Amino acid sequence: MKEKTKSIKVDYLARVEGEGGLHVKIKDGEVTDVKFNIFEPPRFFEAFLRGRMYTEAPDITARICGICPIAYQMSSVHAMENALGAKVDGQLRALRRLIYCGEWIESHALHVYMLHAPDFLGYEDAILMAKDHPEVVKQGLELKKIGNELVTLVGGREIHPINVKVGGFYKTPDKKDLKKFAKKLTWAQGAAHDMINFVSKLKFPDFAPKYEYVSLRHPDEYPFCEGRIVSNKGIDIAIEEYEQYFEEQHVRHSTSLHSSIKKRGAYSTGPMARYNLNFDKLYPVAQEAALKAGLKEKCDNPFKSIIVRSVETLQAIEDALKIIENYEQPEKPSVELTPKASRGCGCSEAPRGSLYHRYSLDDQGLILDAKIVPPTSQNQKIIESDLWKFVPKFMKLSHDELTWKCEQVIRNYDPCISCSCHFLKLTVERE
Amino acid sequence: MINKSGTLVIGIGNEYRGDDAVGLYVARKLSGFRLQSCAIKESPGEGTYLMHSWEGFEHVIIIDAVKSASKPGTIHRIDIPRQEIPSDWFPASSHLISLPEAIKLSQALGTLPASLVVYGIEGNLFDTGVKLTPPVKEAADSLIAALLNDISSRKENGRPTPC
């Protein structure tokens, strides 16, 4: 039989944060290899945290990512407080949730409107989409701006905020400033409903693999910084037990470590996991909006993550409004901590998924070692797994369409390659 | 309160990456002159922030480091929308929406200022560090002098003038 070889090359996959590559190999109509290559050089954050004071971790780790610095700050402060036996509660705890709401709003709005929606509408990028749908894009930008402003209000500045510290904050916001800001959030409530309505009308490929989802679960709230790590296949553990159940492996084609569940393999973290494991913790208005948008209480189609992110945006806005309504400026902006030789873990829900930190400290509070497991490391295996399943099912698509869809499979996860260790080069090779 | 009929100057850069900080250097120096009818901002260069910053302004000046293979310290003046901004001059941007993309998106949305001039200063070294290299600092100082004239003459004439 005459051998046929086809290859598709995309030198630059736009609309993902960071640089990496993808190679899909197809032989005799079957997928024979999938590699999600991350070739961005390792950034050594865990190494240069060693020897620094525990108080420096939130500001150092925030530099890992310009989109989700709050996630890094929150996971690090909770890990340090876990190590030092401190408890931050009341209004300080509420303020932490408030700043996290800001990050979810800005990150989700960016991904839904600017990075993911063009895929569904057939535009190469948001610039081309903006020419036909200017009001939609303007609304997305305004929502993102409100998220950024909320981060600035609590955190001092929108990128790499400077007001978060182990034990609380350097300064707490005035009640009147938050009340004033609530007006913008009230506009955002309406915009989030429009957002959900807009994405619910998109066309989704028939693709729903069965996943093991992993996220935090809190008894009273949709998860941000606290709770137990749970999965839909029986995991229900304290954050401190994370490393007993999850491991990281080095694979040759990635400078970022691959996470997996020990003896089980790939799992999914992020909005889809949070939604599937915590639907009952969403506010009724968010539940109602999700169901009205066509989602059920469980959803396995990763392309519908665009709806889930929109629902989570509404949830974060509702949460922020509630926190502001009940806000009273605390007497002290932080709690006191005393350094001691210790070990502590923290996990929080970054927009892209669970972010685990673990630190060991000496008796002076110097960091002896650090471990950081970002969401994109955790989702790499499941991205590859999705491609293994997706390509055979859509093999009849033209080469260009299949390539686009493969890129979209990756963008479903809003990967932040910069976080995990920039540029995605995609090769689909057919033999 | 910033008067949007005035001039907005945005200096872009990362102060810890050598010559990449040149936009911030120019913005900080200009801030010292307390210019009337002129707002000055610093930015790490995130596109949506830039779009929100310049919305409603009629006259905007942006200063950023570029890599175009010209001699270090070369000052490129790009008059938007008359000229197109070369996307590959800003390879150091770590943002999903870079300055060129923000300009194109703003054009598509009809929110681009009537006058937007980008001054790109050719960088030399973008390594970690907090010092500008001599040719880049020299170029930045000469641009500051020219911008002071530009902004002053605009105030007097009520219109932007090239520098």
Side-chain angles (χ1 to χ4, degrees):
Chain A
M1 196 172 92
K2 194 179 172 186
E3 193 177 287
K4 277 169 120 182
T5 302
K6 282 185 186 176
S7 70
I8 300 172
K9 257 189 172 185
V10 178
D11 288 332
Y12 187 89
L13 179 79
R15 294 185 267 131
V16 297
E17 173 71 20
E19 293 175 4
L22 180 73
H23 189 173
V24 178
K25 203 170 177 181
I26 303 162
K27 194 176 180 182
D28 299 330
E30 283 186 14
V31 179
T32 57
D33 197 19
V34 172
K35 284 193 175 78
F36 183 26
N37 307 319
I38 290 183
F39 46 81
E40 176 155 325
R43 295 167 72 198
F44 305 116
F45 270 86
E46 287 150 311
F48 61 68
L49 277 159
R50 288 181 201 156
R52 309 299 295 233
M53 279 298 285
Y54 74 96
T55 50
E56 295 179 278
D59 291 325
I60 292 175
T61 58
R63 288 276 167 180
I64 292 173
C65 185
I67 297 177
C68 50
I70 300 299
Y72 283 92
Q73 294 192 321
M74 290 301 131
S75 289
S76 64
V77 296
H78 278 85
M80 294 305 181
E81 289 154 13
N82 175 252
L84 301 176
K87 181 79 182 159
V88 174
D89 51 21
Q91 292 292 345
L92 292 177
R93 179 182 184 275
L95 281 175
R96 286 184 167 172
R97 285 183 67 84
L98 184 61
I99 195 170
Y100 225 141
C101 289
E103 181 158 286
W104 274 26
I105 297 166
E106 62 90 7
S107 179
H108 281 351
L110 176 72
H111 188 259
V112 168
Y113 287 95
M114 313 299 289
L115 310 180
H116 211 188
D119 276 328
F120 292 94
L121 298 172
Y123 296 101
E124 198 177 310
D125 57 35
I127 298 166
L128 292 170
M129 187 177 131
K131 288 175 183 164
D132 294 338
H133 303 277
E135 296 310 315
V136 171
V137 174
K138 279 182 184 172
Q139 187 178 58
L141 288 169
E142 192 60 29
L143 262 173
K144 182 183 185 304
K145 183 184 173 189
I146 287 172
N148 283 123
E149 286 177 345
L150 184 51
V151 171
T152 306
L153 191 56
V154 184
R157 64 182 181 195
E158 65 182 80
I159 299 174
H160 311 309
I162 35 74
N163 191 33
V164 171
K165 67 183 280 197
V166 181
F169 295 87
Y170 290 97
K171 186 186 172 192
T172 53
D174 286 342
K175 189 176 174 177
K176 64 173 176 18
D177 291 336
L178 291 187
K179 292 275 181 203
K180 196 175 158 191
F181 189 77
K183 290 176 188 162
K184 293 191 177 184
L185 287 167
T186 304
W187 175 88
Q189 259 178 322
H193 282 287
D194 291 346
M195 180 186 192
I196 296 166
N197 185 40
F198 167 68
V199 297
S200 71
K201 292 176 180 157
L202 300 173
K203 287 190 175 154
F204 301 96
D206 179 19
F207 182 67
K210 292 291 173 198
Y211 296 103
E212 178 155 10
Y213 292 113
V214 173
S215 86
L216 283 175
R217 180 168 169 82
H218 187 275
D220 307 317
E221 301 161 339
Y222 201 71
F224 269 126
C225 301
E226 295 167 8
R228 291 175 68 78
I229 297 171
V230 302
S231 87
N232 54 329
K233 291 192 178 171
I235 292 175
D236 185 354
I237 58 170
I239 293 170
E240 291 80 1
E241 296 174 279
Y242 176 87
E243 288 173 60
Q244 292 172 36
Y245 290 80
F246 299 86
E247 62 185 350
E248 291 181 293
Q249 292 141 345
H250 179 248
V251 294
R252 288 176 68 90
H253 60 276
S254 177
T255 51
S256 169
L257 297 172
H258 275 209
S259 290
S260 59
I261 299 172
K262 287 179 182 177
K263 297 178 184 170
R264 278 225 288 277
Y267 62 100
S268 169
T269 183
M272 294 290 286
R274 286 192 293 261
Y275 179 88
N276 277 289
L277 295 165
N278 296 281
F279 178 85
D280 59 322
K281 301 299 176 194
L282 286 167
Y283 288 119
V285 67
Q287 289 180 343
E288 197 180 312
L291 298 175
K292 195 177 162 191
L295 291 179
K296 293 181 177 163
E297 292 187 19
K298 307 279 179 203
C299 172
D300 283 324
N301 186 337
F303 291 88
K304 291 188 178 177
S305 60
I306 194 169
I307 308 180
V308 174
R309 281 190 183 87
S310 304
V311 170
E312 282 196 337
T313 304
L314 175 62
Q315 172 74 15
I317 293 165
E318 294 288 338
D319 219 4
L321 278 164
K322 196 175 163 192
I323 291 165
I324 291 174
E325 195 185 325
N326 296 314
Y327 181 68
E328 295 295 338
Q329 191 167 8
E331 275 183 31
K332 289 184 177 176
S334 63
V335 299
E336 298 287 328
L337 290 101
T338 309
K340 63 178 180 183
S342 53
R343 181 182 185 276
C345 311
C347 184
S348 75
E349 287 292 333
R352 288 153 191 80
S354 304
L355 169 61
Y356 173 78
H357 286 214
R358 184 254 295 154
Y359 301 94
S360 298
L361 308 177
D362 73 6
D363 56 358
Q364 302 297 307
L366 288 172
I367 298 169
L368 296 171
D369 65 67
K371 183 181 175 76
I372 297 172
V373 188
T376 298
S377 286
Q378 299 178 65
N379 278 335
Q380 281 182 91
K381 263 185 170 329
I382 210 78
I383 290 173
E384 288 185 348
S385 166
D386 272 7
L387 286 156
W388 277 101
K389 292 171 185 160
F390 184 84
V391 173
K393 202 170 162 134
F394 293 87
M395 196 81 80
K396 284 184 183 165
L397 290 176
S398 73
H399 227 51
D400 286 352
E401 280 179 292
L402 185 58
T403 302
W404 186 316
K405 288 287 178 200
C406 285
E407 292 180 49
Q408 196 177 348
V409 165
I410 298 165
R411 283 193 283 267
N412 286 337
Y413 289 87
D414 189 14
C416 187
I417 296 170
S418 320
C419 270
S420 70
C421 95
H422 276 359
F423 176 71
L424 192 79
K425 187 177 174 182
L426 172 64
T427 310
V428 178
E429 193 181 308
R430 298 190 195 218
E431 283 182 16
Chain B
M1 190 78 178
I2 298 170
N3 181 354
K4 293 198 170 184
S5 63
T7 301
L8 171 67
V9 177
I10 308 175
I12 295 174
N14 179 339
E15 60 189 315
Y16 303 114
R17 295 303 292 264
D19 290 337
D20 194 58
V22 68
L24 303 178
Y25 173 82
V26 173
R28 284 169 194 174
K29 287 280 182 187
L30 287 174
S31 295
F33 289 91
R34 300 186 184 282
L35 298 163
Q36 289 186 338
S37 307
C38 180
I40 297 169
K41 289 191 176 191
E42 296 177 21
S43 167
E46 197 276 316
T48 60
Y49 171 87
L50 295 172
M51 291 171 65
H52 290 306
S53 297
W54 68 49
E55 196 170 350
F57 275 93
E58 286 179 19
H59 184 220
V60 176
I61 295 170
I62 288 175
I63 307 104
D64 197 2
V66 298
K67 275 174 92 174
S68 73
S70 304
K71 195 176 157 195
T74 304
I75 301 173
H76 306 271
R77 185 182 192 278
I78 309 152
D79 192 344
I80 311 289
R82 203 170 54 80
Q83 294 167 284
E84 194 164 328
I85 187 162
S87 297
D88 57 356
W89 281 15
F90 302 85
S93 174
S94 60
H95 302 287
L96 280 167
I97 299 176
S98 63
L99 171 63
E101 286 170 321
I103 289 172
K104 286 173 190 161
L105 188 54
S106 209
Q107 275 175 316
L109 294 172
T111 59
L112 198 68
S115 159
L116 192 154
V117 180
V118 177
Y119 289 96
I121 302 180
E122 190 75 21
N124 185 18
L125 282 173
F126 292 86
D127 294 348
T128 49
V130 290
K131 259 191 167 180
L132 300 179
T133 57
V136 173
K137 186 173 178 300
E138 211 171 292
D141 289 334
S142 71
L143 179 62
I144 290 164
L147 287 174
L148 285 170
N149 277 334
D150 175 24
I151 295 162
S152 304
S153 59
R154 175 180 157 74
K155 194 188 155 201
E156 285 162 16
N157 304 329
R159 60 180 177 79
T161 52
C163 52

